[in-house]
Amino acid sequence: ARSCSLLYVPREHDQMLDALLASLAGSGVVTVSAAPDFADRGGMIQFLSEGDRVRFTINQRTAEREGVKISSQLMALAQRRKE
């Protein structure tokens, strides 16, 4: 997975999430999932369902640590995450 640019983690793999994210530390891989609390647990982009809409939140701290630059336009569209 460290050789990927982007890795989608299925919701069903939630129990392996912490170990997976730890193994990807320092790789610069963009991690994306709809798993509960994904961004709070160190994932980069989390999809959220709100009624009939899909939204997303970005863990900017993780992105910065991984050297991933998120555009200001994309950040403006993201839901605010509680830090």
Side-chain angles (χ1 to χ4, degrees):
R2 291 180 66 87
S3 63
C4 296
S5 297
L6 184 137
L7 180 67
Y8 179 78
V9 182
R11 190 183 294 245
E12 298 80 30
H13 288 43
D14 184 56
Q15 70 279 2
M16 298 185 303
L17 182 59
D18 295 327
L20 176 63
L21 292 174
S23 73
L24 292 172
S27 67
V29 174
V30 175
T31 54
V32 181
S33 183
D37 302 319
F38 182 72
D40 292 333
R41 293 168 66 186
M44 205 172 297
I45 301 172
Q46 178 181 349
F47 291 118
L48 309 162
S49 293
E50 290 182 357
D52 61 344
R53 301 187 92 154
V54 175
R55 304 228 185 239
F56 64 95
T57 187
I58 296 173
N59 184 327
Q60 191 169 5
R61 186 176 302 156
T62 297
E64 289 171 359
R65 186 180 65 236
E66 292 298 321
V68 175
K69 293 184 181 4
I70 306 286
S71 75
S72 59
Q73 291 110 341
L74 189 60
M75 288 302 296
L77 293 173
Q79 294 286 105
R80 296 287 175 208
R81 198 171 77 73
K82 296 176 190 122
E83 298 255 357

